[in-house]
Amino acid sequence: MGRYIGAHPWLPPLADKVGPVKIIVVAGARPNFMKVAPILAALHADPARFTPLLVHTGQHYDYQMSDIFFTELGLPAPDRFLQAASGSAVIQIADILTKFEAVLTSEPPDLVVVVGDVNSTVACALAANKLGVPVAHVEAGLRSGDRRMPEEVNRIITDGIADLLFTYSEDADANLRAEAVPAACIHRVGNVMIDSLLRCRPRAAALPILEQLGVEPGAYGLVTLHRPSNVDDPEVLGGILAALTALQQDLELLFLAHPRTRKNLARMGLESQLEQLPRLRLLEPVGYLEMLRLQEQARLVLTDSGGVQEETTVLGVPCLTLRENTERPVTITHGTNVLVGVAPTAIMAAARRALDAPQSPPTPPPLWDGHAAERLVAVLANGVQRR
Ligand code: UD1
Ligand code: UDP
């Protein structure tokens, strides 16, 4: 498909459809599950118009990186599981491309919905595009301006072929307009990840995870790291760990190690060094509900995660982003996020400033209100023939 220009850009191929519109929603990696859950729920709520199917590419496969979210978020079991190959990005993308093509051929949908910026996102968008199936991209228009970041290229390609672009911030709309995306294809609906957060927050509050870990509310820092630029290079990772080693003297740290990070720590021989630190705990990833609870009660979050920058913005918890840039500037202008970089002295200085500063109540961006998926599905419903 191309980009349909008109009041309802995706209407032309679907207007004549008799019966509900078949929509394949794609998820593959940890941050995808929180984004697809509210979209699938909203689609399932309107069976006269929509028949949603969930395809899980299998990009992430550990229990703590995948299955746990199905239970916590009430996701339906995937209709198809692609068992994507691990390995290089090329192997992974090529494998998902061919396997998703087979799904599209055997189960032709009217629309494919992809979320975020992972390899599963770009691979499934491209396969759909090549087979003439319209593509909707959720979380469109984010740009870090840094093409060395694998996700930045995924975002540019996915937005380049998407027919419907669902955005969550003004800067995202502006980025797309600057890339000549027709205004009729862009729909600002808000942040679906925050739909999940607001829905799950009460359940998260009831979990005894702080007690289980033996930490007091507001008295610990939470750390997540997984960007290749931070954790694949021994020099950069060593610098960040030096900063964490200094910081744990002032603030107990919970370091939730992503599988990529865990493997690199082991390969570089750094795991045992960290385990000797008295006030830094190297832990496995936790489930989504526990993660929300741990973020909400943290004194400080140090991260390179995209989703965590957004969640701390809504929770009003100070967030230090250990990167030189962010595709989510709205978390700085409207949130608690501070771009710190990866130099140990800069990390320590920013942490001390954050610990000294009074905390202020959150002021989340417009449309980060728990109703983004409903608005998104309303846009789709507008395009579907009334029946
Ligand atoms: C991927 C995404 C990244 C996202 C992150 C979320 C791309 C290019 N990267 O990074 O944008 O922020 O997920 O967490 O799509 N592994 C396991 N178990 C798992 C998953 C991964 O052991 O369940 C290991 C494998 O050795 C794998 C490595 O981690 O090769 C990297 O996994 P991959 O999905 O390629 O990239 P991530 O670093 O997880
Ligand atoms: N998350 C989680 N457990 C963890 C770490 C993160 O459930 O141990 C959640 C986090 O709250 C957010 C999402 O995973 O909802 C973010 O995913 P990740 O950081 O892996 O990817 P990114 O957002 O950087 O693409």
Short mmCIF file of all heavy atoms in Angstrom, two decimals, residues 58 76-77 80 144 163 166 168 174 181 190 195 277 287-288 294 296 299 301 307 317 323 348 353 368 378:
data_model
loop_
_atom_site.label_atom_id
_atom_site.label_comp_id
_atom_site.label_asym_id
_atom_site.label_seq_id
_atom_site.Cartn_x
_atom_site.Cartn_y
_atom_site.Cartn_z
N GLY A 58 8.04 -13.71 18.92
CA GLY A 58 8.99 -14.51 19.69
C GLY A 58 10.37 -13.86 19.79
O GLY A 58 11.33 -14.50 20.22
N PRO A 76 -4.77 -12.02 25.43
CA PRO A 76 -5.17 -13.34 24.92
C PRO A 76 -3.94 -14.10 24.43
O PRO A 76 -2.94 -13.48 24.06
CB PRO A 76 -6.08 -12.99 23.73
CG PRO A 76 -5.68 -11.61 23.32
CD PRO A 76 -5.19 -10.91 24.56
N ALA A 77 -4.01 -15.42 24.44
CA ALA A 77 -2.89 -16.21 23.90
C ALA A 77 -2.69 -15.81 22.44
O ALA A 77 -3.66 -15.54 21.73
CB ALA A 77 -3.20 -17.69 24.00
N ARG A 80 -0.81 -16.64 16.57
CA ARG A 80 0.37 -17.23 15.92
C ARG A 80 1.62 -16.84 16.70
O ARG A 80 1.74 -15.70 17.15
CB ARG A 80 0.55 -16.73 14.47
CG ARG A 80 -0.60 -17.06 13.55
CD ARG A 80 -0.62 -18.55 13.20
NE ARG A 80 -1.64 -18.80 12.20
CZ ARG A 80 -1.43 -18.81 10.88
NH1 ARG A 80 -0.21 -18.61 10.41
NH2 ARG A 80 -2.42 -19.02 10.04
N SER A 144 15.23 10.32 17.62
CA SER A 144 16.34 10.72 18.48
C SER A 144 17.35 11.55 17.69
O SER A 144 18.20 12.22 18.28
CB SER A 144 17.05 9.49 19.05
OG SER A 144 17.71 8.79 18.00
N ASP A 163 0.62 3.54 6.67
CA ASP A 163 -0.49 4.26 6.07
C ASP A 163 -1.21 5.11 7.10
O ASP A 163 -1.79 6.14 6.77
CB ASP A 163 -1.47 3.26 5.46
CG ASP A 163 -0.79 2.41 4.40
OD1 ASP A 163 -0.66 2.90 3.27
OD2 ASP A 163 -0.33 1.30 4.72
N PHE A 166 -0.14 6.76 14.29
CA PHE A 166 -0.72 7.17 15.57
C PHE A 166 0.38 7.73 16.45
O PHE A 166 1.36 7.02 16.74
CB PHE A 166 -1.42 5.99 16.23
CG PHE A 166 -2.67 5.56 15.51
CD1 PHE A 166 -2.70 4.38 14.79
CD2 PHE A 166 -3.81 6.36 15.54
CE1 PHE A 166 -3.85 3.99 14.11
CE2 PHE A 166 -4.97 5.98 14.87
CZ PHE A 166 -4.98 4.78 14.15
N TYR A 168 1.82 10.34 19.93
CA TYR A 168 1.46 10.69 21.30
C TYR A 168 1.95 12.06 21.74
O TYR A 168 1.77 12.43 22.90
CB TYR A 168 1.85 9.60 22.28
CG TYR A 168 3.33 9.41 22.63
CD1 TYR A 168 4.20 10.47 22.84
CD2 TYR A 168 3.82 8.13 22.81
CE1 TYR A 168 5.52 10.26 23.22
CE2 TYR A 168 5.14 7.89 23.19
CZ TYR A 168 5.99 8.98 23.39
OH TYR A 168 7.27 8.76 23.76
N ALA A 174 5.19 16.91 14.45
CA ALA A 174 6.06 17.84 13.71
C ALA A 174 7.14 17.07 12.95
O ALA A 174 7.46 17.39 11.81
CB ALA A 174 6.68 18.84 14.68
N VAL A 181 4.95 13.47 5.58
CA VAL A 181 3.83 12.54 5.76
C VAL A 181 2.54 13.36 5.64
O VAL A 181 2.40 14.40 6.30
CB VAL A 181 3.87 11.88 7.16
CG1 VAL A 181 2.65 10.99 7.38
CG2 VAL A 181 5.15 11.06 7.31
N GLY A 190 -2.61 9.87 21.74
CA GLY A 190 -2.08 9.73 23.11
C GLY A 190 -1.23 8.49 23.25
O GLY A 190 -0.90 7.83 22.27
N ASP A 195 -2.00 3.97 29.08
CA ASP A 195 -3.28 3.28 29.34
C ASP A 195 -3.03 2.08 30.25
O ASP A 195 -3.74 1.86 31.24
CB ASP A 195 -3.91 2.74 28.04
CG ASP A 195 -4.42 3.82 27.11
OD1 ASP A 195 -4.21 5.01 27.39
OD2 ASP A 195 -5.03 3.46 26.08
N LEU A 277 29.43 -5.48 45.73
CA LEU A 277 29.05 -4.16 46.25
C LEU A 277 27.97 -4.32 47.32
O LEU A 277 26.96 -4.99 47.08
CB LEU A 277 28.55 -3.26 45.12
CG LEU A 277 29.58 -2.91 44.05
CD1 LEU A 277 28.93 -2.13 42.92
CD2 LEU A 277 30.73 -2.11 44.66
N GLY A 287 8.41 -8.65 36.74
CA GLY A 287 7.17 -8.51 35.96
C GLY A 287 6.76 -7.04 35.89
O GLY A 287 7.30 -6.18 36.59
N TYR A 288 5.76 -6.77 35.05
CA TYR A 288 5.31 -5.40 34.81
C TYR A 288 4.72 -4.77 36.08
O TYR A 288 5.02 -3.62 36.40
CB TYR A 288 4.28 -5.42 33.69
CG TYR A 288 3.67 -4.09 33.37
CD1 TYR A 288 4.45 -3.03 32.92
CD2 TYR A 288 2.30 -3.89 33.49
CE1 TYR A 288 3.88 -1.80 32.61
CE2 TYR A 288 1.72 -2.67 33.18
CZ TYR A 288 2.52 -1.64 32.74
OH TYR A 288 1.95 -0.43 32.44
N LEU A 294 7.93 -0.78 41.82
CA LEU A 294 9.32 -0.38 42.13
C LEU A 294 9.63 1.02 41.61
O LEU A 294 10.34 1.78 42.26
CB LEU A 294 10.31 -1.40 41.55
CG LEU A 294 10.38 -2.73 42.29
CD1 LEU A 294 11.29 -3.72 41.55
CD2 LEU A 294 10.88 -2.53 43.73
N GLU A 296 7.35 3.46 41.11
CA GLU A 296 6.53 4.42 41.84
C GLU A 296 7.15 4.80 43.18
O GLU A 296 7.05 5.94 43.63
CB GLU A 296 5.15 3.79 42.06
CG GLU A 296 4.12 4.72 42.58
CD GLU A 296 2.77 4.02 42.68
OE1 GLU A 296 2.74 2.84 43.09
OE2 GLU A 296 1.76 4.65 42.36
N ARG A 299 13.32 6.47 44.85
CA ARG A 299 13.75 7.86 45.05
C ARG A 299 14.27 8.44 43.75
O ARG A 299 14.15 9.63 43.47
CB ARG A 299 14.85 7.89 46.14
CG ARG A 299 15.44 9.26 46.42
CD ARG A 299 14.39 10.16 47.08
NE ARG A 299 14.84 11.54 47.19
CZ ARG A 299 14.72 12.45 46.23
NH1 ARG A 299 14.17 12.14 45.06
NH2 ARG A 299 15.15 13.69 46.41
N VAL A 301 15.31 6.97 39.45
CA VAL A 301 15.45 5.90 38.45
C VAL A 301 16.58 6.28 37.51
O VAL A 301 16.68 7.43 37.07
CB VAL A 301 14.12 5.71 37.68
CG1 VAL A 301 14.31 4.73 36.53
CG2 VAL A 301 13.02 5.22 38.61
N GLY A 307 10.50 3.20 27.44
CA GLY A 307 9.25 3.10 28.20
C GLY A 307 9.38 3.65 29.61
O GLY A 307 8.46 4.30 30.12
N VAL A 317 8.37 10.43 39.21
CA VAL A 317 9.60 9.99 39.89
C VAL A 317 10.81 10.49 39.09
O VAL A 317 10.85 10.36 37.86
CB VAL A 317 9.64 8.44 39.95
CG1 VAL A 317 10.94 7.94 40.52
CG2 VAL A 317 8.46 7.94 40.76
N ARG A 323 21.87 8.50 28.41
CA ARG A 323 22.05 8.57 26.96
C ARG A 323 22.38 10.00 26.60
O ARG A 323 22.13 10.92 27.38
CB ARG A 323 20.76 8.15 26.25
CG ARG A 323 20.46 6.67 26.31
CD ARG A 323 19.10 6.34 25.69
NE ARG A 323 18.91 6.99 24.39
CZ ARG A 323 17.74 7.02 23.74
NH1 ARG A 323 16.68 6.44 24.27
NH2 ARG A 323 17.63 7.61 22.58
N MET A 348 27.09 11.02 38.37
CA MET A 348 27.15 11.28 39.82
C MET A 348 26.60 12.67 40.15
O MET A 348 25.83 12.84 41.10
CB MET A 348 28.60 11.17 40.32
CG MET A 348 29.00 9.77 40.71
SD MET A 348 27.79 8.98 41.79
CE MET A 348 28.01 9.93 43.30
N ARG A 353 22.24 16.02 42.39
CA ARG A 353 21.26 17.11 42.22
C ARG A 353 19.84 16.58 42.42
O ARG A 353 19.03 17.19 43.11
CB ARG A 353 21.38 17.72 40.80
CG ARG A 353 22.31 18.93 40.71
CD ARG A 353 22.10 19.71 39.42
NE ARG A 353 22.23 18.89 38.22
CZ ARG A 353 23.38 18.59 37.64
NH1 ARG A 353 24.52 19.05 38.13
NH2 ARG A 353 23.41 17.84 36.56
N TRP A 368 -2.07 11.70 27.71
CA TRP A 368 -1.49 10.55 28.42
C TRP A 368 -2.42 10.27 29.61
O TRP A 368 -2.04 10.43 30.77
CB TRP A 368 -0.06 10.86 28.89
CG TRP A 368 0.95 11.02 27.80
CD1 TRP A 368 0.75 11.47 26.52
CD2 TRP A 368 2.35 10.72 27.88
NE1 TRP A 368 1.92 11.48 25.81
CE2 TRP A 368 2.92 11.02 26.62
CE3 TRP A 368 3.19 10.24 28.88
CZ2 TRP A 368 4.29 10.85 26.35
CZ3 TRP A 368 4.55 10.08 28.62
CH2 TRP A 368 5.09 10.37 27.37
N ALA A 378 -11.34 4.36 17.86
CA ALA A 378 -12.40 5.22 17.31
C ALA A 378 -12.01 5.72 15.92
O ALA A 378 -12.86 5.83 15.03
CB ALA A 378 -12.68 6.39 18.25
#
